[in-house]
Amino acid sequence: MSKVKSIINKIGVPRLIVCLFFAIIVLLAVVNDLNVTSYIGSILKYWGMWGVMVLAMIPSINCGIGPNFGVSLGIVCGLFGTLLAIEFDIAGKVGGNFGPWASLFFAILVSAVLAWFVGVLYGKVLNAVKGSEMTVTTYIGYSIIYLMCIVWFRAPFTSGGIIWPLGGVGVRNQVSMESSFGGLLNNAGGFYIGGESGIYIPTGIIVFVLVMCLFVHLYFKTKTGKAIMAVGVNPQFAQANGIDVNKMRIKGIALSTVLGAIGIIVHTQGYGFLQAYSAPLAMGFQCVAAILIGGATTGRAKIGHVILGTFLFQGLLILTPPVSNHLLAGTDISDTMRQIIQNGVILYALSKAKGGASSDE
Amino acid sequence: MNKQKKFGNIGQFLFDNKVIVLFLILCIVCTVVAGANLSYVAGEVFTRFGRNTCLVLALIIPCLAGLGMNFGIVVGAMAAQIAIFWVVHWGFTGVTGLLLSVVMCTPIAIFFGWLLGKLYNHTKGAEMIAGLIVGFFADGLYRLFVLYIIGGVIPFDDPNLLPRGFGLRNAFDLTGSLKYSLDDVSFLTVLLIGSLISLVALAVNFLYNKKKGNVIDKKDVIKKAVYGIVGVVIALVSKQIPFLNNMLGGTRVVLTDAIKIGSILCIVYAVVMFVLTKPAKDSKEFKKYILMVVCSVVLFVLTFVKTTKVIFNSVRLPACTYAVTALFCFFNTWIFSTRLGQNIRTVGQNRAVATSAGINVDKIRVIATCISTVLAAWGQLVFLQNLGTFNTVQQQSNVGLYAVAAILVGGANAHKATNKQAILGVILFHTLFVVAPLAATKVFGDPAISEYIRMFITYGVIAVSLAMHAWQKGDKKKKDNDEETAEA
């Protein structure tokens, strides 16, 4: 009995519930003869779209700051880079097959550089508020989104694809990515398993996410990466060993912000539209929930947690609507379920964080 | 030299109250830029004050218990809304309906508060983020309850409220049932009932103490009894005098009348106390009475100045709602004079000290959370009866956010909050809430942007305020550490 209990404790009650729930939903989908193969294709696609953003949690958790609820800072940097790529029409100027790729790399480069600087500043703020990082990051994340709403509204863009259809200035609600790099990674090297009605494998995006994962993995194998890990495990010990704790924390959070920026670019290209304004408001919470479902705690996270957590979370989000629609005759409780699962998992992780990043004693 | 010191004092004062000063400037700038109609602004602010203050006052006890800003008051608001569904369904209206809602929502709120308190005990040090997330989490459960369980699982036969057979309709209308049920109670009724209740309480207390053989301060009892009787007499007599009944017996009190009566009473009080106590010339009391008289006279005169008269005349105060707000304030002060309140304060200052003093820290924290949740539920009732129509699913989601932002604007921080800060904060925050969109519309020519500005201000205030507090705390800790190492 105690053995069962210890295993359950190790996996975590909410993770167990989520896994069971996922299994039941998959089972129901199969039993009710829903088009499971096409859903698997879109789960893979969404896994790729969210992967990098969830990956952004790794450096911030491992450097001791805890889940980065303020990943919105990186997100707005990514949106800015993407808008610049559209504004300058990089895809059109380069032209040919290579155009969209140039546009994508331009966006990634610009926003990564921008995000690094923003992240360093952000890290300095977080070093000043040790002990309350999670609360402060949440509200910084929220306020930056609304600050950027004001900026988007009046930003002096001139490209016809960005500004409101009736002219003037400002970014429209949904900017189409067709002219730049919409769907680029999704379609690159994509193929069907089992004919046109089979499972679509979006090779490009999967490879991209795995490469980013590999990059982060390798980064944590370097000297700096190991130092960041040491700071996360025990700041006093790290200090005693001559590691500059504050500097490592800044590096961790800056890396997280950069990954957040790249993450939203990947997300945007998969979605096909750039959503400015308040659309990214709750993305931070979804990322935190995904990595926690994967098995991370507020003090420790691995690449595997990202891969598994994103798959489970996105799988639930995609499979629940059709199943609930089918079973409950036209009602869609999926968004309610998402809210409960997402926040329940975060709450559980917070309650388990003993002496973690948030403890001020 | 003296001048310099004085200037330094003012500078220090401004720096200590930087958030308040900043918001005051913002409010004034926005009002000027928007060229706003002051009567409109004043009316809105007084309405919003009556509507929101009770919810903000619910934050004070958990704050002093060391729980930080209780974003979890959202669950209290849910308890209130759940009670309202049934009260409206059963067809109760007016004050009866409101009182029934209070009775119904209290046990629900205590239960929710107990759960919330348990959770806070599991997330010590991260209560604020836990409170925020628990708000979202509870939102999900609440939505499940409102949209699927009511009517779906729990029988609830009401085609008006459940058009589809299950799931409440999206907009919940209180017109004709609970709308203005509290606001419409007249001042004289409040005075009469309040005085009667206090007389009864006094009598019960007196008899209880006599039976127990406790020492009774006879003078004090007589004084209180006289106050109570005077209250009853004034209420009864005023109802017979048409002039006073017109002023105070209606559903609202016009601000002009309130100021006139208030300032006259204030002057009388100050003069009587002055004559009775005869304070020394440079004592604190002396200054206080002089200040009271001067302020009252200024306000009294302002009611005759044309511009201010127009503004004052346009504001109508809901007497009972303001009285309830005052009761909330009184409760927050009173509780800290009891043993429980002292324990709460000790726990808030230092958990380790409290434990060694034999206080059950976890229990005290749960009690503080319960009280806060109940106050929030009642506050939400006050809010909704004034609003009249609410969004069934989402009305409660932003309750914690706006309440916390308001009290932080008033100069509170995660460890210290007072009634005064709550009241000042509500006034400043909601003034800005009213004038900022007007200013934005004027400057940018587009009202859509004002919503972004509002939300940015709300979130920005919380972010900056919490960050600054954490920063100061960290600085202090560092200094202490440095001193310790220096001593060693």
Side-chain angles (χ1 to χ4, degrees), chain A residues 138-139 332-333 336 343 361, chain B residues 71 125 129 132 136 140 148 351:
Chain A
T138 306
Y139 282 99
D332 182 7
I333 62 166
T336 313
N343 298 303
E361 277 174 297
Chain B
F71 286 97
I129 187 80
L132 183 76
F136 295 148
Y148 307 106
R351 290 206 290 274

Side-chain angles (χ1 to χ4, degrees), chain B residues 204-217:
Chain B
V204 169
N205 195 17
F206 180 75
L207 290 177
Y208 173 81
N209 277 339
K210 203 169 183 184
K211 205 174 170 190
K212 280 249 171 170
N214 291 345
V215 186
I216 299 167
D217 184 359

